[in-house]
Amino acid sequence: MTIQIGDRLPDATLAEFIETETAGCSLGPNSFKVADLVKGKTIAIFGLPGAFTPTCSAQHLPGYIKLADQLKAKGVDEIWCVSVNDAFVMGAWGRDQQATGIVRMMADGSAVFSKALGLEFDLTAKGMGVRSKRYSMLVQDGVVKQLNVESGGFEVSSAEKLLEQLG
């Protein structure tokens, strides 16, 4: 079943490649419980099929980087990019796209989070395994307030669309 507006995000763990060691976070991949990260925060989350893929690299992620300040001015505390890749790949892609410090590049390596959302996309027949559908959502204190799931293509999950929904 696909997550809906008003639903709470499922229990899951995502990984993030940390560039600078800090208290509690070591250099390299670190795992985080989604429930802990979303407490008391407004988060713009967008999911996509894969790091370094054409539409994801040319439009989806760059849109959120470009509009990050405007999203934050509307009350968004953090922006997450979620993809079914490992934390090393997500970290490299974030560096390549100059997203560091702007968008958190969250790895859903085994698609556990994507499956729990009901937003997985099976591309096994094309040799790509299970991936995430393309979507965006606004989450407040763990509850989905906006949800935009693509039916194919790239139309409703853009940063522009989510910014428009924030008013």
Side-chain angles (χ1 to χ4, degrees):
M1 186 166 138
T2 303
I3 196 160
Q4 300 293 317
I5 292 173
D7 290 349
R8 181 163 290 285
L9 288 180
D11 287 333
T13 299
L14 295 171
E16 181 179 23
F17 190 91
I18 302 298
E19 301 284 340
T20 306
E21 189 170 356
T22 61
C25 290
S26 60
L27 179 66
N30 284 250
S31 295
F32 299 97
K33 291 190 178 295
V34 171
D36 293 339
L37 293 180
V38 299
K39 282 182 188 170
K41 293 181 183 173
T42 298
I43 302 177
I45 302 174
F46 64 104
L48 40 80
F52 293 104
T53 57
T55 301
C56 303
S57 292
Q59 293 177 288
H60 212 171
L61 177 55
Y64 282 91
I65 294 168
K66 179 181 172 185
L67 296 179
D69 288 340
Q70 291 178 49
L71 288 163
K72 290 182 179 184
K74 297 279 187 175
V76 171
D77 297 305
E78 294 181 0
I79 302 167
W80 297 1
C81 175
V82 177
S83 183
V84 182
N85 292 107
D86 63 58
F88 293 101
V89 170
M90 292 299 285
W93 190 38
R95 287 188 299 278
D96 179 73
Q97 293 283 312
Q98 299 177 352
T100 305
I102 302 167
V103 175
R104 292 185 75 172
M105 305 301 286
M106 307 302 276
D108 183 21
S110 297
V112 173
F113 183 64
S114 297
K115 289 176 183 176
L117 292 172
L119 294 172
E120 76 275 12
F121 184 45
D122 192 347
L123 291 172
T124 302
K126 295 185 178 188
M128 296 175 67
V130 175
R131 297 294 180 134
S132 171
K133 288 184 179 178
R134 191 178 301 280
Y135 67 88
S136 68
M137 66 173 72
L138 183 71
V139 175
Q140 292 178 333
D141 199 26
V143 177
V144 178
K145 299 297 183 179
Q146 294 289 342
L147 178 63
N148 308 297
V149 181
E150 298 288 356
S151 58
F154 179 62
E155 296 173 15
V156 300
S157 63
S158 68
E160 292 83 1
K161 177 69 173 179
L162 200 57
L163 185 61
E164 175 186 306
Q165 290 172 326
L166 286 169

PDB file of all heavy atoms in Angstrom, residues 102-134:
ATOM      1  N   ILE A 102      23.587  21.329   1.350  1.00  0.00           N
ATOM      2  CA  ILE A 102      22.331  21.869   0.832  1.00  0.00           C
ATOM      3  C   ILE A 102      21.242  20.803   0.869  1.00  0.00           C
ATOM      4  O   ILE A 102      20.153  21.024   1.394  1.00  0.00           O
ATOM      5  CB  ILE A 102      22.513  22.407  -0.604  1.00  0.00           C
ATOM      6  CG1 ILE A 102      23.596  23.481  -0.648  1.00  0.00           C
ATOM      7  CG2 ILE A 102      21.182  22.928  -1.155  1.00  0.00           C
ATOM      8  CD1 ILE A 102      24.055  23.850  -2.042  1.00  0.00           C
ATOM      9  N   VAL A 103      21.549  19.653   0.290  1.00  0.00           N
ATOM     10  CA  VAL A 103      20.620  18.520   0.233  1.00  0.00           C
ATOM     11  C   VAL A 103      21.297  17.322   0.884  1.00  0.00           C
ATOM     12  O   VAL A 103      22.443  17.010   0.549  1.00  0.00           O
ATOM     13  CB  VAL A 103      20.243  18.176  -1.234  1.00  0.00           C
ATOM     14  CG1 VAL A 103      19.387  16.923  -1.298  1.00  0.00           C
ATOM     15  CG2 VAL A 103      19.525  19.352  -1.899  1.00  0.00           C
ATOM     16  N   ARG A 104      20.600  16.674   1.800  1.00  0.00           N
ATOM     17  CA  ARG A 104      21.136  15.455   2.404  1.00  0.00           C
ATOM     18  C   ARG A 104      20.923  14.308   1.431  1.00  0.00           C
ATOM     19  O   ARG A 104      19.790  14.035   1.029  1.00  0.00           O
ATOM     20  CB  ARG A 104      20.453  15.161   3.740  1.00  0.00           C
ATOM     21  CG  ARG A 104      20.794  16.190   4.801  1.00  0.00           C
ATOM     22  CD  ARG A 104      20.217  15.836   6.134  1.00  0.00           C
ATOM     23  NE  ARG A 104      20.993  14.748   6.746  1.00  0.00           N
ATOM     24  CZ  ARG A 104      20.801  14.327   7.998  1.00  0.00           C
ATOM     25  NH1 ARG A 104      19.872  14.876   8.753  1.00  0.00           N
ATOM     26  NH2 ARG A 104      21.534  13.336   8.482  1.00  0.00           N
ATOM     27  N   MET A 105      21.987  13.638   1.062  1.00  0.00           N
ATOM     28  CA  MET A 105      21.944  12.548   0.091  1.00  0.00           C
ATOM     29  C   MET A 105      21.782  11.235   0.847  1.00  0.00           C
ATOM     30  O   MET A 105      22.747  10.654   1.332  1.00  0.00           O
ATOM     31  CB  MET A 105      23.219  12.567  -0.750  1.00  0.00           C
ATOM     32  CG  MET A 105      23.488  13.899  -1.443  1.00  0.00           C
ATOM     33  SD  MET A 105      22.182  14.419  -2.556  1.00  0.00           S
ATOM     34  CE  MET A 105      22.465  13.287  -3.911  1.00  0.00           C
ATOM     35  N   MET A 106      20.534  10.771   0.955  1.00  0.00           N
ATOM     36  CA  MET A 106      20.184   9.635   1.798  1.00  0.00           C
ATOM     37  C   MET A 106      20.087   8.351   0.985  1.00  0.00           C
ATOM     38  O   MET A 106      19.308   8.261   0.037  1.00  0.00           O
ATOM     39  CB  MET A 106      18.871   9.917   2.520  1.00  0.00           C
ATOM     40  CG  MET A 106      18.858  11.249   3.284  1.00  0.00           C
ATOM     41  SD  MET A 106      20.150  11.397   4.531  1.00  0.00           S
ATOM     42  CE  MET A 106      19.359  10.564   5.880  1.00  0.00           C
ATOM     43  N   ALA A 107      20.871   7.371   1.378  1.00  0.00           N
ATOM     44  CA  ALA A 107      20.930   6.092   0.679  1.00  0.00           C
ATOM     45  C   ALA A 107      19.936   5.098   1.272  1.00  0.00           C
ATOM     46  O   ALA A 107      19.891   4.893   2.484  1.00  0.00           O
ATOM     47  CB  ALA A 107      22.341   5.519   0.772  1.00  0.00           C
ATOM     48  N   ASP A 108      19.150   4.506   0.389  1.00  0.00           N
ATOM     49  CA  ASP A 108      18.201   3.441   0.737  1.00  0.00           C
ATOM     50  C   ASP A 108      18.690   2.187   0.022  1.00  0.00           C
ATOM     51  O   ASP A 108      18.036   1.660  -0.868  1.00  0.00           O
ATOM     52  CB  ASP A 108      16.799   3.864   0.269  1.00  0.00           C
ATOM     53  CG  ASP A 108      15.705   2.880   0.633  1.00  0.00           C
ATOM     54  OD1 ASP A 108      15.894   2.071   1.562  1.00  0.00           O
ATOM     55  OD2 ASP A 108      14.644   2.931  -0.024  1.00  0.00           O
ATOM     56  N   GLY A 109      19.885   1.738   0.394  1.00  0.00           N
ATOM     57  CA  GLY A 109      20.626   0.717  -0.332  1.00  0.00           C
ATOM     58  C   GLY A 109      19.877  -0.539  -0.721  1.00  0.00           C
ATOM     59  O   GLY A 109      20.077  -1.064  -1.809  1.00  0.00           O
ATOM     60  N   SER A 110      19.013  -1.025   0.129  1.00  0.00           N
ATOM     61  CA  SER A 110      18.264  -2.256  -0.172  1.00  0.00           C
ATOM     62  C   SER A 110      16.790  -1.988  -0.444  1.00  0.00           C
ATOM     63  O   SER A 110      15.979  -2.913  -0.429  1.00  0.00           O
ATOM     64  CB  SER A 110      18.415  -3.245   0.991  1.00  0.00           C
ATOM     65  OG  SER A 110      19.770  -3.619   1.130  1.00  0.00           O
ATOM     66  N   ALA A 111      16.435  -0.747  -0.644  1.00  0.00           N
ATOM     67  CA  ALA A 111      15.063  -0.320  -0.957  1.00  0.00           C
ATOM     68  C   ALA A 111      14.073  -0.590   0.172  1.00  0.00           C
ATOM     69  O   ALA A 111      12.875  -0.615  -0.050  1.00  0.00           O
ATOM     70  CB  ALA A 111      14.570  -0.938  -2.260  1.00  0.00           C
ATOM     71  N   VAL A 112      14.557  -0.748   1.389  1.00  0.00           N
ATOM     72  CA  VAL A 112      13.673  -1.019   2.524  1.00  0.00           C
ATOM     73  C   VAL A 112      12.723   0.158   2.760  1.00  0.00           C
ATOM     74  O   VAL A 112      11.519  -0.034   2.942  1.00  0.00           O
ATOM     75  CB  VAL A 112      14.492  -1.347   3.799  1.00  0.00           C
ATOM     76  CG1 VAL A 112      13.601  -1.452   5.022  1.00  0.00           C
ATOM     77  CG2 VAL A 112      15.286  -2.630   3.592  1.00  0.00           C
ATOM     78  N   PHE A 113      13.245   1.382   2.754  1.00  0.00           N
ATOM     79  CA  PHE A 113      12.417   2.570   2.959  1.00  0.00           C
ATOM     80  C   PHE A 113      11.437   2.738   1.796  1.00  0.00           C
ATOM     81  O   PHE A 113      10.242   2.959   2.011  1.00  0.00           O
ATOM     82  CB  PHE A 113      13.317   3.806   3.096  1.00  0.00           C
ATOM     83  CG  PHE A 113      12.593   5.088   3.388  1.00  0.00           C
ATOM     84  CD1 PHE A 113      11.895   5.272   4.571  1.00  0.00           C
ATOM     85  CD2 PHE A 113      12.633   6.142   2.485  1.00  0.00           C
ATOM     86  CE1 PHE A 113      11.244   6.468   4.848  1.00  0.00           C
ATOM     87  CE2 PHE A 113      11.995   7.343   2.751  1.00  0.00           C
ATOM     88  CZ  PHE A 113      11.285   7.511   3.939  1.00  0.00           C
ATOM     89  N   SER A 114      11.924   2.614   0.572  1.00  0.00           N
ATOM     90  CA  SER A 114      11.063   2.762  -0.611  1.00  0.00           C
ATOM     91  C   SER A 114       9.930   1.743  -0.600  1.00  0.00           C
ATOM     92  O   SER A 114       8.777   2.075  -0.905  1.00  0.00           O
ATOM     93  CB  SER A 114      11.885   2.618  -1.891  1.00  0.00           C
ATOM     94  OG  SER A 114      12.845   3.652  -1.971  1.00  0.00           O
ATOM     95  N   LYS A 115      10.234   0.504  -0.233  1.00  0.00           N
ATOM     96  CA  LYS A 115       9.199  -0.537  -0.150  1.00  0.00           C
ATOM     97  C   LYS A 115       8.206  -0.237   0.957  1.00  0.00           C
ATOM     98  O   LYS A 115       7.001  -0.429   0.781  1.00  0.00           O
ATOM     99  CB  LYS A 115       9.835  -1.914   0.062  1.00  0.00           C
ATOM    100  CG  LYS A 115      10.560  -2.435  -1.162  1.00  0.00           C
ATOM    101  CD  LYS A 115      11.251  -3.762  -0.859  1.00  0.00           C
ATOM    102  CE  LYS A 115      12.036  -4.263  -2.050  1.00  0.00           C
ATOM    103  NZ  LYS A 115      12.790  -5.501  -1.731  1.00  0.00           N
ATOM    104  N   ALA A 116       8.700   0.240   2.102  1.00  0.00           N
ATOM    105  CA  ALA A 116       7.804   0.566   3.216  1.00  0.00           C
ATOM    106  C   ALA A 116       6.866   1.718   2.854  1.00  0.00           C
ATOM    107  O   ALA A 116       5.722   1.766   3.330  1.00  0.00           O
ATOM    108  CB  ALA A 116       8.616   0.908   4.465  1.00  0.00           C
ATOM    109  N   LEU A 117       7.332   2.627   2.000  1.00  0.00           N
ATOM    110  CA  LEU A 117       6.484   3.716   1.509  1.00  0.00           C
ATOM    111  C   LEU A 117       5.494   3.230   0.448  1.00  0.00           C
ATOM    112  O   LEU A 117       4.530   3.923   0.140  1.00  0.00           O
ATOM    113  CB  LEU A 117       7.334   4.827   0.882  1.00  0.00           C
ATOM    114  CG  LEU A 117       8.233   5.643   1.795  1.00  0.00           C
ATOM    115  CD1 LEU A 117       9.127   6.561   0.963  1.00  0.00           C
ATOM    116  CD2 LEU A 117       7.417   6.453   2.796  1.00  0.00           C
ATOM    117  N   GLY A 118       5.757   2.059  -0.126  1.00  0.00           N
ATOM    118  CA  GLY A 118       4.952   1.578  -1.251  1.00  0.00           C
ATOM    119  C   GLY A 118       5.326   2.296  -2.531  1.00  0.00           C
ATOM    120  O   GLY A 118       4.535   2.383  -3.464  1.00  0.00           O
ATOM    121  N   LEU A 119       6.540   2.819  -2.578  1.00  0.00           N
ATOM    122  CA  LEU A 119       6.993   3.609  -3.725  1.00  0.00           C
ATOM    123  C   LEU A 119       8.177   2.966  -4.439  1.00  0.00           C
ATOM    124  O   LEU A 119       8.983   3.650  -5.067  1.00  0.00           O
ATOM    125  CB  LEU A 119       7.345   5.032  -3.279  1.00  0.00           C
ATOM    126  CG  LEU A 119       6.160   5.866  -2.784  1.00  0.00           C
ATOM    127  CD1 LEU A 119       6.631   7.181  -2.177  1.00  0.00           C
ATOM    128  CD2 LEU A 119       5.173   6.115  -3.919  1.00  0.00           C
ATOM    129  N   GLU A 120       8.254   1.634  -4.361  1.00  0.00           N
ATOM    130  CA  GLU A 120       9.323   0.942  -5.081  1.00  0.00           C
ATOM    131  C   GLU A 120       8.912   0.738  -6.541  1.00  0.00           C
ATOM    132  O   GLU A 120       7.735   0.774  -6.877  1.00  0.00           O
ATOM    133  CB  GLU A 120       9.666  -0.391  -4.415  1.00  0.00           C
ATOM    134  CG  GLU A 120       8.668  -1.498  -4.675  1.00  0.00           C
ATOM    135  CD  GLU A 120       7.473  -1.516  -3.737  1.00  0.00           C
ATOM    136  OE1 GLU A 120       7.236  -0.545  -2.984  1.00  0.00           O
ATOM    137  OE2 GLU A 120       6.752  -2.515  -3.755  1.00  0.00           O
ATOM    138  N   PHE A 121       9.918   0.540  -7.372  1.00  0.00           N
ATOM    139  CA  PHE A 121       9.734   0.415  -8.813  1.00  0.00           C
ATOM    140  C   PHE A 121      10.669  -0.698  -9.272  1.00  0.00           C
ATOM    141  O   PHE A 121      11.887  -0.563  -9.153  1.00  0.00           O
ATOM    142  CB  PHE A 121      10.093   1.758  -9.448  1.00  0.00           C
ATOM    143  CG  PHE A 121       9.896   1.871 -10.915  1.00  0.00           C
ATOM    144  CD1 PHE A 121       8.748   1.418 -11.537  1.00  0.00           C
ATOM    145  CD2 PHE A 121      10.868   2.476 -11.692  1.00  0.00           C
ATOM    146  CE1 PHE A 121       8.578   1.551 -12.903  1.00  0.00           C
ATOM    147  CE2 PHE A 121      10.704   2.625 -13.056  1.00  0.00           C
ATOM    148  CZ  PHE A 121       9.555   2.155 -13.661  1.00  0.00           C
ATOM    149  N   ASP A 122      10.123  -1.806  -9.765  1.00  0.00           N
ATOM    150  CA  ASP A 122      10.932  -2.965 -10.110  1.00  0.00           C
ATOM    151  C   ASP A 122      11.458  -2.870 -11.539  1.00  0.00           C
ATOM    152  O   ASP A 122      10.709  -3.001 -12.498  1.00  0.00           O
ATOM    153  CB  ASP A 122      10.125  -4.247  -9.918  1.00  0.00           C
ATOM    154  CG  ASP A 122      10.983  -5.498  -9.984  1.00  0.00           C
ATOM    155  OD1 ASP A 122      12.154  -5.410 -10.413  1.00  0.00           O
ATOM    156  OD2 ASP A 122      10.477  -6.574  -9.602  1.00  0.00           O
ATOM    157  N   LEU A 123      12.747  -2.656 -11.642  1.00  0.00           N
ATOM    158  CA  LEU A 123      13.416  -2.578 -12.937  1.00  0.00           C
ATOM    159  C   LEU A 123      14.357  -3.766 -13.149  1.00  0.00           C
ATOM    160  O   LEU A 123      15.318  -3.685 -13.905  1.00  0.00           O
ATOM    161  CB  LEU A 123      14.200  -1.261 -13.053  1.00  0.00           C
ATOM    162  CG  LEU A 123      13.352   0.001 -13.139  1.00  0.00           C
ATOM    163  CD1 LEU A 123      14.222   1.245 -13.048  1.00  0.00           C
ATOM    164  CD2 LEU A 123      12.544   0.016 -14.424  1.00  0.00           C
ATOM    165  N   THR A 124      14.054  -4.873 -12.475  1.00  0.00           N
ATOM    166  CA  THR A 124      14.887  -6.078 -12.577  1.00  0.00           C
ATOM    167  C   THR A 124      15.014  -6.548 -14.017  1.00  0.00           C
ATOM    168  O   THR A 124      16.103  -6.944 -14.449  1.00  0.00           O
ATOM    169  CB  THR A 124      14.308  -7.197 -11.685  1.00  0.00           C
ATOM    170  OG1 THR A 124      14.246  -6.700 -10.346  1.00  0.00           O
ATOM    171  CG2 THR A 124      15.175  -8.447 -11.730  1.00  0.00           C
ATOM    172  N   ALA A 125      13.931  -6.495 -14.774  1.00  0.00           N
ATOM    173  CA  ALA A 125      13.957  -6.948 -16.167  1.00  0.00           C
ATOM    174  C   ALA A 125      14.940  -6.131 -17.009  1.00  0.00           C
ATOM    175  O   ALA A 125      15.437  -6.615 -18.029  1.00  0.00           O
ATOM    176  CB  ALA A 125      12.557  -6.883 -16.773  1.00  0.00           C
ATOM    177  N   LYS A 126      15.246  -4.912 -16.575  1.00  0.00           N
ATOM    178  CA  LYS A 126      16.191  -4.059 -17.298  1.00  0.00           C
ATOM    179  C   LYS A 126      17.575  -4.079 -16.655  1.00  0.00           C
ATOM    180  O   LYS A 126      18.433  -3.265 -16.988  1.00  0.00           O
ATOM    181  CB  LYS A 126      15.656  -2.628 -17.368  1.00  0.00           C
ATOM    182  CG  LYS A 126      14.390  -2.531 -18.194  1.00  0.00           C
ATOM    183  CD  LYS A 126      13.949  -1.097 -18.355  1.00  0.00           C
ATOM    184  CE  LYS A 126      12.702  -1.067 -19.235  1.00  0.00           C
ATOM    185  NZ  LYS A 126      12.316   0.277 -19.586  1.00  0.00           N
ATOM    186  N   GLY A 127      17.774  -5.001 -15.692  1.00  0.00           N
ATOM    187  CA  GLY A 127      19.070  -5.155 -15.063  1.00  0.00           C
ATOM    188  C   GLY A 127      19.392  -4.135 -13.995  1.00  0.00           C
ATOM    189  O   GLY A 127      20.546  -3.991 -13.591  1.00  0.00           O
ATOM    190  N   MET A 128      18.379  -3.416 -13.505  1.00  0.00           N
ATOM    191  CA  MET A 128      18.625  -2.363 -12.522  1.00  0.00           C
ATOM    192  C   MET A 128      18.076  -2.677 -11.140  1.00  0.00           C
ATOM    193  O   MET A 128      18.225  -1.870 -10.214  1.00  0.00           O
ATOM    194  CB  MET A 128      18.048  -1.043 -13.030  1.00  0.00           C
ATOM    195  CG  MET A 128      18.723  -0.548 -14.290  1.00  0.00           C
ATOM    196  SD  MET A 128      17.961   0.915 -14.983  1.00  0.00           S
ATOM    197  CE  MET A 128      18.324   2.136 -13.752  1.00  0.00           C
ATOM    198  N   GLY A 129      17.410  -3.826 -10.977  1.00  0.00           N
ATOM    199  CA  GLY A 129      16.879  -4.202  -9.671  1.00  0.00           C
ATOM    200  C   GLY A 129      15.701  -3.343  -9.249  1.00  0.00           C
ATOM    201  O   GLY A 129      15.086  -2.656 -10.054  1.00  0.00           O
ATOM    202  N   VAL A 130      15.416  -3.378  -7.964  1.00  0.00           N
ATOM    203  CA  VAL A 130      14.317  -2.587  -7.404  1.00  0.00           C
ATOM    204  C   VAL A 130      14.837  -1.188  -7.124  1.00  0.00           C
ATOM    205  O   VAL A 130      15.893  -1.009  -6.515  1.00  0.00           O
ATOM    206  CB  VAL A 130      13.765  -3.240  -6.124  1.00  0.00           C
ATOM    207  CG1 VAL A 130      12.709  -2.350  -5.470  1.00  0.00           C
ATOM    208  CG2 VAL A 130      13.180  -4.613  -6.437  1.00  0.00           C
ATOM    209  N   ARG A 131      14.102  -0.206  -7.569  1.00  0.00           N
ATOM    210  CA  ARG A 131      14.457   1.200  -7.408  1.00  0.00           C
ATOM    211  C   ARG A 131      13.315   1.944  -6.726  1.00  0.00           C
ATOM    212  O   ARG A 131      12.283   1.382  -6.434  1.00  0.00           O
ATOM    213  CB  ARG A 131      14.725   1.846  -8.784  1.00  0.00           C
ATOM    214  CG  ARG A 131      15.885   1.258  -9.541  1.00  0.00           C
ATOM    215  CD  ARG A 131      17.167   1.550  -8.810  1.00  0.00           C
ATOM    216  NE  ARG A 131      18.321   1.015  -9.498  1.00  0.00           N
ATOM    217  CZ  ARG A 131      19.427   1.692  -9.705  1.00  0.00           C
ATOM    218  NH1 ARG A 131      19.541   2.930  -9.303  1.00  0.00           N
ATOM    219  NH2 ARG A 131      20.441   1.120 -10.308  1.00  0.00           N
ATOM    220  N   SER A 132      13.485   3.231  -6.544  1.00  0.00           N
ATOM    221  CA  SER A 132      12.438   4.087  -6.013  1.00  0.00           C
ATOM    222  C   SER A 132      11.696   4.737  -7.165  1.00  0.00           C
ATOM    223  O   SER A 132      12.308   5.108  -8.175  1.00  0.00           O
ATOM    224  CB  SER A 132      13.060   5.189  -5.145  1.00  0.00           C
ATOM    225  OG  SER A 132      12.096   6.147  -4.776  1.00  0.00           O
ATOM    226  N   LYS A 133      10.397   4.879  -7.003  1.00  0.00           N
ATOM    227  CA  LYS A 133       9.646   5.709  -7.939  1.00  0.00           C
ATOM    228  C   LYS A 133      10.111   7.147  -7.738  1.00  0.00           C
ATOM    229  O   LYS A 133      10.698   7.503  -6.715  1.00  0.00           O
ATOM    230  CB  LYS A 133       8.140   5.622  -7.654  1.00  0.00           C
ATOM    231  CG  LYS A 133       7.525   4.307  -8.036  1.00  0.00           C
ATOM    232  CD  LYS A 133       6.023   4.341  -7.801  1.00  0.00           C
ATOM    233  CE  LYS A 133       5.401   3.018  -8.206  1.00  0.00           C
ATOM    234  NZ  LYS A 133       3.949   3.009  -7.937  1.00  0.00           N
ATOM    235  N   ARG A 134       9.805   7.978  -8.707  1.00  0.00           N
ATOM    236  CA  ARG A 134      10.118   9.400  -8.603  1.00  0.00           C
ATOM    237  C   ARG A 134       8.960  10.076  -7.854  1.00  0.00           C
ATOM    238  O   ARG A 134       7.812   9.958  -8.251  1.00  0.00           O
ATOM    239  CB  ARG A 134      10.284   9.991 -10.005  1.00  0.00           C
ATOM    240  CG  ARG A 134      10.854  11.387 -10.019  1.00  0.00           C
ATOM    241  CD  ARG A 134      11.027  11.895 -11.444  1.00  0.00           C
ATOM    242  NE  ARG A 134      11.894  11.058 -12.246  1.00  0.00           N
ATOM    243  CZ  ARG A 134      13.224  11.081 -12.217  1.00  0.00           C
ATOM    244  NH1 ARG A 134      13.837  11.894 -11.396  1.00  0.00           N
ATOM    245  NH2 ARG A 134      13.920  10.294 -13.004  1.00  0.00           N
TER     246      ARG A 134
END
